[in-house]
Amino acid sequence: MTRWPSDYSDAWTLAAAVERRGVGLHSGGEARVRLQPSERPGFHVGWLDRPDLLLQRLQPEQVCATQLCTTLQLEGRRLATVEHLLAALAGCGVSQAEILVEGEEIPLLDGSALPWVEAIAEAGLRRLGPRPQLRLSGGPITVQHGASFALALPAEGLRLGAAIEFPQPAIGRQVFSLELTPERFVAEIASARTFGFLDQVEQLRAAGLIRGGALDNALVCDGEGWLNPPLRHPDEPVRHKLLDLLGDLALVGLPQAQVFAYRGSHGLHTALASALAAAAAPLAASAPLAAAVSSP
Ligand SMILES: [Zn+2]
């Protein structure tokens, strides 16, 4: 069994490269992803089929679409469905890695972050030193989209919470929160799968979306129940919402904060990530790492 870092106070990268391939949810196309160690802080995306292009450091400003998944615009190329992979990396304690992709979408795999956690465990982790911490220098941050909101309060450590409310009795109102550590992420969040609704699935298919969606990579709700039980947790939908929140926050890095999202969506989460990027001051844990953070 993998020994995960005890918390997020240190910087970690992968100990070796690891590769996975699979089908993209929206395009239905085959994609390949290689994760490899990085000496630079943050997550950096490059292309397996274009090794001549420079790797881009991920940041919230690259978000260009948030319908169903988080899509980034990376200098002329788009990359969709980054959130579950980023949740797995950040959740497991990885603060820096290179993500090399062939294709336009990160494979959905089983719809959760678990296959990525297994890939990270296979690669192993390497400790680099103290991690520069993202702290909210200007007090609480709130983001509101209609009836949805997210807020971040300064705190020691990282506490994540989410609440969802759906009229469908199979889901209803669910609340979940935890003091996040890599071990708790792996045990309580990583395996929660993405979910959708039967009527929506038909509409999206007709619109040419979710071509790679199937009953083996998403929970499908018909209102009263689930087409593909059993659930991995009784409250799997809200746990997945928390997984999505974590993946979107990973675009800026994990803050020292208490973060809560009510009826979250990728649009709401990535707006919060942008607000965090603007408000959070990277406090140097050590001089060399601080210098690396502020360099382009
Ligand atoms: Zn998701």
Side-chain angles (χ1 to χ4, degrees):
M1 219 172 94
T2 310
R3 272 202 64 184
W4 299 105
S6 57
D7 57 26
Y8 301 105
S9 59
D10 286 336
W12 295 79
T13 191
L14 300 168
V18 64
E19 231 177 83
R20 289 292 184 271
R21 54 174 68 234
V23 173
L25 166 66
H26 304 292
S27 60
E30 179 85 13
R32 185 160 66 98
V33 176
R34 184 189 301 153
L35 306 176
Q36 52 187 41
S38 171
E39 298 308 314
R40 298 175 292 177
F43 301 118
H44 301 262
V45 168
W47 307 100
L48 286 165
D49 55 327
R50 286 294 306 274
D52 55 312
L53 295 180
L54 283 179
L55 273 65
Q56 306 283 306
R57 181 173 179 170
L58 295 188
Q59 44 197 318
E61 298 82 77
Q62 293 152 342
V63 173
C64 66
T66 55
Q67 192 206 4
L68 305 174
C69 68
T70 299
T71 301
L72 307 176
Q73 182 74 45
L74 300 164
E75 296 212 342
R77 282 181 75 154
R78 279 186 168 218
L79 184 61
T81 322
V82 295
E83 60 271 16
H84 302 162
L85 168 58
L86 293 182
L89 286 165
C92 288
V94 177
S95 55
Q96 51 203 78
E98 292 182 358
I99 301 167
L100 303 179
V101 184
E102 182 185 288
E104 56 191 46
E105 187 174 356
I106 303 292
L108 188 64
L109 306 176
D110 76 346
S112 80
L114 199 57
W116 293 116
V117 169
E118 288 162 0
I120 294 163
E122 188 183 310
L125 298 190
R126 180 160 60 88
R127 186 179 167 278
L128 297 164
R131 181 192 302 211
Q133 296 294 335
L134 281 174
R135 293 181 194 277
L136 308 187
S137 48
I141 297 173
T142 315
V143 177
Q144 184 150 15
H145 284 186
S148 305
F149 68 86
L151 56 93
L153 306 167
E156 288 303 315
L158 176 59
R159 184 159 196 100
L160 281 187
I164 55 175
E165 274 191 278
F166 284 90
Q168 291 84 353
I171 304 177
R173 176 183 298 173
Q174 300 184 358
V175 184
F176 193 85
S177 78
L178 82 174
E179 187 80 42
L180 202 71
T181 64
E183 209 162 293
R184 293 194 70 188
F185 167 75
V186 172
E188 299 183 41
I189 303 297
S191 67
R193 290 162 294 172
T194 194
F195 61 97
F197 300 95
L198 185 59
D199 48 351
Q200 226 180 34
V201 168
E202 299 309 328
Q203 276 173 26
L204 292 168
R205 281 236 170 87
L209 297 167
I210 59 164
R211 289 181 205 151
L215 290 178
D216 58 0
N217 55 19
L219 279 170
V220 179
C221 178
D222 67 2
E224 298 294 325
W226 298 93
L227 294 194
N228 45 353
L231 270 59
R232 293 175 175 175
H233 308 272
D235 54 357
E236 190 168 350
V238 74
R239 290 180 194 237
H240 186 80
K241 209 46 111 166
L242 220 142
L243 191 165
D244 280 340
L245 171 64
L246 180 66
D248 289 332
L249 289 178
L251 289 169
V252 60
L254 299 186
Q256 293 275 309
Q258 188 160 344
V259 180
F260 179 78
Y262 173 69
R263 297 178 63 182
S265 61
H266 293 301
L268 185 78
H269 303 156
T270 54
L272 181 67
S274 291
L276 278 168
L283 280 196
S286 72
L289 275 174
V293 164
S294 59
S295 67

